[in-house]
Amino acid sequence: MKKNSSLKSSLLSKMVLAPYSVWAVLFILVPLVFVAYYAFTDNSFHFTTENITRFFTATSVNSEGAEVHTYLLIFARSLKLAVISTVICLLLGYPMAYIISKASSRTQSILLTLIMIPMWMNFLIRTYAWMTILQDTGILNGFLARLGIDPVHIIGTESAVVIGMVYDYIPYMIMPIYSIMAKMDNKLIEAARDLGCNNVGVLRRVIFPLSLPGVVSGITMVLIPSISTFYISQKLGNGKFYLIGDAIEGQYVANNLHFAAAIAFVLMVILLACMALMQRYADKKVTVM
């Protein structure tokens, strides 16, 4: 009887997971295979590593007359803005997630709804809204003028791009951290206080180590779309900041599908390696603490 029950349970589990497995294969694995296939083939679909090599070796002359690696420079700029945006999202999102997790059930529902409401709007509309706010004759400078403050030029700068990234992706930082903190056992915090930990000690020794998986998940969910974005940089940066997402889009529009796939493939490998390292560090940190 036990054997039959185990077989039924195993079969039921496979049936439940079957739709997700099919979805994952069709919409995750198959597209990645196609990206890799295009990255390592030429226009005649013959195997080549030229596309990958071009990403690392292509050069151009900058405004100072110096020769620079084109796509490596673009990647470095994309990484810089993505890291800045991710750090800001973490600094803002972590305390917000903690406050929400400690609120009453009704307050939690209200706060989570307020965080998610902007996500219900189209991404393009949200970006255009920030263009209206940040432009030289926009809402922000109009408000500053009423206060007698000189207008500030934000649109078309890296700061505008970072603002757009933070606004669009901060819910992806808050939600995974909140989901971990909401399940945290308050008895552990009480025990730490009984053993002499002050608020800083409780945060450093108990809350942060236990919430680290959520932090890693949040960083991943913010960093990946930030580093590959292109629409935010085009609209809020006025096209002045060519990011890696813009490079992929530009090659695709120019019908250079194989090189576009190569850029995407290199970016994917780098991000997967970073994610693996972060996850390994998080697992070690939780174990040690």
Side-chain angles (χ1 to χ4, degrees):
M1 292 295 291
K2 289 184 178 180
K3 186 176 181 180
N4 291 336
S5 177
S6 177
L7 288 174
K8 289 181 180 179
S9 177
S10 177
L11 181 61
L12 181 61
S13 298
K14 290 180 180 179
M15 290 177 64
V16 171
L17 292 175
Y20 172 77
S21 300
V22 173
W23 184 91
V25 169
L26 290 178
F27 298 103
I28 299 178
L29 184 60
V30 171
L32 293 181
V33 170
F34 271 102
V35 169
Y37 175 69
Y38 270 77
F40 287 97
T41 55
D42 57 20
N43 292 331
S44 300
F45 293 98
H46 296 142
F47 176 81
T48 181
T49 59
E50 182 181 350
N51 297 317
I52 303 296
T53 304
R54 180 182 171 188
F55 175 86
F56 293 100
T57 59
T59 59
S60 61
V61 178
N62 62 14
S63 58
E64 299 175 354
E67 190 176 23
V68 295
H69 289 280
T70 307
Y71 295 102
L72 291 180
L73 180 64
I74 294 172
F75 176 75
R77 184 188 301 123
S78 302
L79 181 62
K80 180 187 74 171
L81 296 181
V83 169
I84 292 173
S85 302
T86 303
V87 170
I88 294 174
C89 284
L90 179 60
L91 294 177
L92 296 177
Y94 194 90
M96 290 176 66
Y98 180 78
I99 291 171
I100 295 172
S101 68
K102 296 304 177 184
S104 63
S105 298
R106 179 180 175 82
T107 304
Q108 284 187 29
S109 300
I110 294 173
L111 293 176
L112 290 175
T113 301
L114 291 175
I115 290 172
M116 294 305 297
I117 281 177
M119 306 300 294
W120 299 347
M121 292 186 292
N122 186 277
F123 181 84
L124 306 183
I125 295 175
R126 283 182 277 145
T127 305
Y128 270 108
W130 274 106
M131 290 175 62
T132 305
I133 294 172
L134 298 178
Q135 63 186 354
D136 294 339
T137 57
I139 296 174
L140 177 61
N141 280 322
F143 177 74
L144 294 177
R146 290 179 179 273
L147 297 177
I149 302 175
D150 293 334
V152 292
H153 177 70
I154 301 178
I155 197 75
T157 64
E158 290 186 349
S159 299
V161 177
V162 170
I163 289 172
M165 289 180 180
V166 171
Y167 173 76
D168 282 313
Y169 301 130
I170 194 169
Y172 299 121
M173 180 67 74
I174 295 174
M175 297 307 295
I177 298 176
Y178 159 77
S179 65
I180 296 294
M181 288 184 170
K183 301 172 185 176
M184 198 177 295
D185 191 350
N186 288 326
K187 292 180 180 178
L188 296 174
I189 298 175
E190 295 174 1
R193 294 187 186 280
D194 291 340
L195 292 173
C197 273
N198 55 20
N199 291 335
V200 176
V202 170
L203 175 62
R204 184 173 66 87
R205 294 177 178 273
V206 180
I207 298 176
F208 185 74
L210 291 177
S211 63
L212 197 55
V215 172
V216 172
S217 179
I219 290 174
T220 303
M221 293 176 69
V222 173
L223 183 64
I224 291 177
S226 295
I227 202 172
S228 58
T229 188
F230 63 93
Y231 193 78
I232 295 175
S233 59
Q234 289 177 1
K235 297 304 178 182
L236 298 184
N238 282 345
K240 297 178 181 178
F241 306 102
Y242 201 65
L243 303 184
I244 200 70
D246 299 308
I248 296 172
E249 187 210 20
Q251 295 299 324
Y252 179 81
V253 172
N255 204 31
N256 297 326
L257 303 182
H258 297 272
F259 186 52
I263 299 174
F265 180 80
V266 172
L267 180 61
M268 179 180 65
V269 170
I270 293 173
L271 291 176
L272 288 175
C274 292
M275 288 169 56
L277 290 173
M278 289 172 58
Q279 191 61 52
R280 186 173 181 180
Y281 171 78
D283 292 341
K284 283 186 177 182
K285 194 72 174 178
V286 171
T287 303
V288 171
M289 295 303 289

